[in-house]
């Protein structure tokens, strides 16, 4: 499984990116979506709960 972080302030754009990956039947993705880089960094540092 491949992990993908979407860091994008536009919810519509994040949804579009997610749909592109979900249409790919060759791979399985673990997708995390964030509105800001700070929230994504908190997850990487182990401080953010999904």
């Amino acid at each position: 499984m491949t992990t993908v972080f979407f860091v994008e302030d536009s919810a519509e754009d994040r949804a579009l990116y997610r749909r592109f990956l979900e249409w790919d039947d060759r791979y399985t993705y673990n997708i995390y979506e964030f509105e800001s880089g700070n929230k994504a960094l908190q997850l990487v540092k182990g401080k953010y709960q999904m």
Side-chain angles (χ1 to χ4, degrees):
M1 181 177 295
T2 301
T3 299
V4 178
F5 281 24
F6 293 136
V7 182
E8 171 61 55
D9 59 351
S10 168
E12 294 85 11
D13 288 347
R14 289 192 313 269
L16 177 65
Y17 305 150
R18 176 181 282 276
R19 280 194 305 269
F20 281 140
L21 291 180
E22 289 174 345
W23 287 336
D24 183 355
D25 59 354
R26 297 172 297 168
Y27 301 101
T28 302
Y29 298 96
N30 187 15
I31 301 171
Y32 293 89
E33 298 180 28
F34 300 95
E35 295 178 350
S36 73
N38 286 335
K39 289 182 179 180
L41 287 173
Q42 288 175 0
L43 175 71
V44 171
K45 292 178 180 179
K47 296 180 182 177
Y48 192 88
Q49 297 295 319
M50 292 298 297

